[in-house]
Amino acid sequence: MIPEKLLLLYQDLQAYVGLTEEDVRNVRSIAHIITPHLTALIDDFYNELVRHPEAAQVITGGAVQIERLKGKLRGWVEDLLSANCDQDYVWRRWMVGRRHVEIGLAQVYTNAAMSRLRSGFNRVLSEVSATDVPEIPAAIRALNKLIDLDLAIIEDAYQAEYLARQDRVRRLATIGEISGGIAHELRNPLGIMKNAVYFLRMSLPKLSDDDNDAFDELGRGLKTCNRLVGELLDFVREPKREATLFPLREAIDEALAGIDIPASIRLTLPIDRDVHTCRADKGQIVQIIDNLVRNAVEAMPSGGILTLNVKRDDNIVVEVVDSGNGIAVGDLDKVFEPLFSRKAKGIGLGLAVARRYAELNQGSLKVESDPGRGATFRLTLPAV
């Protein structure tokens, strides 16, 4: 969704529910009444949420994460009471819905939780005498309009992201049926060729430097073909997640061990080795990082700086940053699509598989890039 278009949608919905400038003023007039009760309302909100296993399972960081989420909810309510419905305000609401899809929180829990919060607002305001604050009845109606608008935008984002994921699943299934057959048919002849090259190399009495170079080139070509066939098969298989606890740095080290990074690229790694522990399928996380690092290396054919960062807030975030030419703005939404590639080598499945594994492990994989200034891929995983 483009922020400008989202604002137009919100303004259309404002007109539909009849939100006026007077409504905005009325909501702002009661902010000082609700604010002193926010701590109690927010505590009640999360106390109720954790009683429901389906909703509570998305909170993987325990009490520490809940405290952070309480701070975010307070910010959301303060935003609501400011009634400053500009583009940034609407965009933040839309991202809430998108985030709920990423963490696997069903929209029904958002609606129910919002209803509980709404009841809390109404209870607080009902205790204020209309004689003391004449705007109370009108302010309650206006606040309900704003909450309904927020829910509409959050649900729009939820549906858009959910449908996009369903569409990707259908397309992946179709492509998978075709590519799976091709991959299986190629694997056998590639194995025969690899054995034949080995047999010829061992059986010939004496090889010149040119002969050795030719055999080396054949070996590299076969290795590339086998890697592409492996990508196809990974793409086709219905992956299963076998979650274990492991230090994230171990997965980074395993991925880097299988990659030949040219001397012209300076590699920077996180200093702390064992601080960040996550629960995920280690093999799949290794494959994600392997793919991201290989892409970064290929993006810097003349050399550059490759940086791996690990950060932690509610989740663990692995950043793979390169100093290459970056990704064109029009390609940013396509790089995770299967069979999309601007590279001379490869078939465009690596990032599609990587995102699939990230989502399977209750995480996400995103990219940011400025053309000419490199790219940053962010892998987000639940923290322990």
Side-chain angles (χ1 to χ4, degrees):
M1 172 65 76
I2 300 172
E4 292 80 4
K5 287 186 177 180
L6 183 62
L7 180 61
L8 292 175
L9 171 62
Y10 186 83
Q11 290 170 342
D12 187 47
L13 294 174
Q14 277 183 316
Y16 189 82
V17 301
L19 188 76
T20 65
E21 285 298 322
E22 183 180 357
D23 287 330
V24 169
R25 288 192 295 272
N26 285 334
V27 169
R28 290 171 180 168
S29 73
I30 59 171
H32 71 285
I33 299 172
I34 293 177
T35 300
H37 299 272
L38 279 184
T39 299
L41 290 171
I42 290 170
D43 285 345
D44 173 74
F45 181 96
Y46 279 102
N47 289 340
E48 181 64 22
L49 184 145
V50 298
R51 289 200 314 107
H52 301 276
E54 290 277 341
Q57 69 178 355
V58 304
I59 300 177
T60 58
V64 175
Q65 184 183 359
I66 287 178
E67 286 306 309
R68 282 196 292 267
L69 291 173
K70 285 181 178 180
K72 291 180 179 179
L73 180 57
R74 176 179 285 271
W76 178 87
V77 175
E78 290 170 351
D79 251 5
L80 181 74
L81 297 175
S82 75
N84 183 23
C85 306
D86 58 10
Q87 184 171 295
D88 288 340
Y89 172 97
V90 181
W91 182 250
R92 287 194 295 272
R93 267 53 183 165
W94 201 84
M95 291 303 292
V96 169
R98 186 171 180 177
R99 178 63 178 153
H100 287 173
V101 177
E102 290 177 358
I103 64 176
L105 179 65
Q107 180 65 20
V108 291
Y109 290 106
T110 302
N111 295 343
M114 197 71 73
S115 176
R116 190 175 186 87
L117 199 58
R118 187 201 303 261
S119 296
F121 293 153
N122 290 338
R123 184 177 65 254
V124 168
L125 294 172
S126 67
E127 295 171 357
V128 179
S129 169
T131 304
D132 297 333
V133 185
E135 301 87 357
I136 285 291
I140 291 175
R141 291 192 295 272
L143 183 60
N144 284 328
K145 289 180 185 179
L146 274 180
I147 292 174
D148 289 337
L149 286 169
D150 272 16
L151 273 173
I153 291 298
I154 290 171
E155 187 156 357
D156 179 75
Y158 189 95
Q159 291 180 354
E161 183 67 12
Y162 181 80
L163 291 173
R165 290 194 177 201
Q166 291 297 104
D167 183 57
R168 286 201 299 269
V169 168
R170 286 193 294 270
R171 284 187 287 118
L172 290 177
T174 302
I175 296 170
E177 290 179 9
I178 299 170
S179 57
I182 294 172
H184 282 293
E185 291 297 326
L186 286 175
R187 175 150 281 187
N188 285 338
L190 284 173
I192 294 170
M193 292 166 66
K194 182 179 179 180
N195 291 336
V197 169
Y198 177 81
F199 173 77
L200 288 172
R201 194 165 199 172
M202 294 298 102
S203 61
L204 292 175
K206 187 177 180 180
L207 296 175
S208 66
D209 290 342
D210 288 342
D211 293 334
N212 279 316
D213 288 344
F215 278 119
D216 289 342
E217 189 66 28
L218 274 171
R220 285 191 291 271
L222 287 169
K223 185 177 179 180
T224 298
C225 289
N226 275 311
R227 183 170 61 81
L228 295 178
V229 167
E231 281 187 6
L232 279 169
L233 292 174
D234 285 338
F235 180 74
V236 170
R237 295 187 187 105
E238 185 61 38
K240 298 188 182 299
R241 174 174 173 261
E242 296 182 6
T244 59
L245 289 174
F246 61 91
L248 193 56
R249 181 59 189 267
E250 281 187 9
I252 292 174
D253 289 343
E254 284 187 31
L256 292 175
I259 302 173
D260 183 18
I261 297 179
S264 59
I265 293 178
R266 178 159 60 87
L267 176 63
T268 303
L269 292 171
I271 297 173
D272 297 327
R273 294 190 60 84
D274 302 316
V275 173
H276 305 290
T277 300
C278 63
R279 184 189 299 276
D281 187 305
K282 186 177 179 182
Q284 292 172 358
I285 303 308
V286 169
Q287 188 162 344
I288 295 171
I289 297 170
D290 176 278
N291 185 275
L292 297 181
V293 172
R294 287 184 187 276
N295 280 357
V297 169
E298 291 172 1
M300 299 181 287
S302 302
I305 301 172
L306 171 58
T307 304
L308 274 74
N309 295 320
V310 180
K311 302 177 180 179
R312 175 161 180 170
D313 44 33
D314 293 341
N315 303 286
I316 294 178
V317 181
V318 184
E319 292 184 339
V320 179
V321 186
D322 68 69
S323 61
N325 291 326
I327 301 169
V329 174
D331 290 344
L332 280 174
D333 292 335
K334 303 175 185 176
V335 294
F336 296 110
E337 296 298 323
L339 305 182
F340 175 83
S341 179
R342 298 291 188 197
K343 297 184 293 186
K345 299 179 180 179
I347 52 177
L349 286 178
L351 286 175
V353 172
R355 182 170 66 175
R356 190 180 188 187
Y357 283 160
E359 293 175 354
L360 186 64
N361 285 278
Q362 298 177 321
S364 64
L365 182 59
K366 297 180 180 178
V367 62
E368 291 180 4
S369 179
D370 291 325
R373 300 182 63 182
T376 298
F377 283 85
R378 288 189 179 88
L379 168 64
T380 301
L381 296 168
V384 177

